[in-house]
Amino acid sequence: MTNAHCRFPTNNGPSARPVEVDGERCVEHRELDAVTAAAEVAQELRQRARAQRRRHQPGQAGRDDADPDVPISDAQIAAVAECLNRHGVDYVLVGGAASQLHGANTPRTRDADIVPSKQADNLDRLAMALNEMEARLWVGPEQPEGLAMTFDRGTLGQIQGFLNLVTKHGPVDITYRPDGTDGFPDLARATVTVHLLGVDVPVAALEDVIRSKEAAGRAKDLAVLPRLIQHLRDRERPAPD
């Protein structure tokens, strides 16, 4: 008897169907059925999210409620990557920006999601890059300029979850272990280099982007999941003779 379970998101959280290897998909969520399942879950969670936003009181909004019509541009992503590259930071771009750089037809993201190596010397380099980008801590739309923060290996090493920042190049989110992954060492094994406006951007493999969004299970992640799965299948389909 196996204790492994399918982790594909459902309306009520991760699926608990038994599988041979923990985290793999069960029959219900395999192949083309996964696209339909993800679309249904995404629609339900979007409705829930809209209902929750309507109940928000003034002053309680998070960054997801700020500037919904101001997506981050290719130039901004390239500027962030150029600064990180020049300082020798080991990192991988994930999230919505990674999806788009893979050519997926998904809505433009509002921030650059970065997964850096947590090695101490890399945190030193990351701190220098963040200081150059004039990074400040995002605290909400009521204070769009953010709060001043000290960046060094000590403070960066203590981050739990996400560090949401505003920079002169646009919003940047930092996390060491995106949902469904083991962080930088895991993602770096299959990193793809994308050339964006003359800058080399290390981007997480599309399979890893999908894996992380499935595990996160948030409405905004599941909303794009059907397109990502279909894009991966289209890309892997053999070319016609």
Side-chain angles (χ1 to χ4, degrees):
M1 185 173 182
T2 178
N3 291 320
H5 296 92
C6 172
R7 302 299 182 190
F8 195 86
T10 72
N11 291 339
N12 297 312
S15 171
R17 289 177 175 268
V19 291
E20 292 296 325
V21 179
D22 196 46
E24 74 176 10
R25 294 179 189 167
C26 63
V27 174
E28 179 184 357
H29 299 123
R30 204 174 294 153
E31 303 303 332
L32 289 177
D33 287 344
V35 178
T36 302
E40 292 173 351
V41 173
Q43 181 179 6
E44 171 67 20
L45 292 186
R46 281 197 300 271
Q47 292 173 349
R48 293 184 189 179
R50 284 194 293 268
Q52 290 173 352
R53 283 196 295 271
R54 286 194 293 268
R55 291 195 294 269
H56 278 177
Q57 298 299 318
Q60 291 183 337
R63 199 168 83 180
D64 282 351
D65 301 303
D67 299 326
D69 298 319
V70 185
I72 193 168
S73 67
D74 285 350
Q76 288 174 302
I77 295 172
V80 170
E82 189 280 330
C83 183
L84 294 171
N85 294 350
R86 184 159 34 80
H87 284 278
V89 179
D90 293 324
Y91 71 97
V92 178
L93 184 73
V94 296
S99 302
Q100 291 148 16
L101 292 186
H102 277 292
N105 182 23
T106 57
R108 171 62 71 170
T109 186
R110 286 172 282 167
D111 46 41
D113 295 305
I114 303 298
V115 180
S117 165
K118 208 173 182 181
Q119 295 293 320
D121 56 348
N122 194 62
L123 296 183
D124 289 337
R125 298 190 292 268
L126 176 60
M128 289 188 289
L130 292 176
N131 285 325
E132 181 181 317
M133 286 190 278
E134 301 174 8
R136 295 169 68 88
L137 182 66
W138 171 261
V139 293
E142 68 280 357
Q143 195 164 350
E145 72 280 3
L147 292 178
M149 177 178 174
T150 299
F151 296 104
D152 54 36
R153 72 165 62 177
T155 55
L156 290 173
Q158 294 174 8
I159 296 171
Q160 301 293 326
F162 281 86
L163 180 65
N164 303 129
L165 304 172
V166 288
T167 79
K168 66 180 182 180
H169 300 314
V172 173
D173 290 348
I174 294 175
T175 185
Y176 295 119
R177 192 170 183 174
D179 291 306
T181 80
D182 288 326
F184 178 81
D186 179 17
L187 296 169
R189 291 179 297 180
T191 297
V192 177
T193 300
V194 175
H195 305 288
L196 181 66
L197 302 178
V199 179
D200 289 344
V201 184
V203 179
L206 186 54
E207 295 88 341
D208 290 334
V209 175
I210 292 172
R211 171 165 56 118
S212 181
K213 287 186 176 296
E214 287 180 353
R218 298 172 299 182
K220 66 178 183 179
D221 294 312
L222 298 181
V224 299
L225 194 54
R227 296 184 186 184
L228 295 180
I229 296 172
Q230 191 62 60
H231 182 68
L232 178 62
R233 293 201 178 114
D234 291 343
R235 196 174 66 177
E236 293 176 341
R237 184 177 295 122
D241 294 334

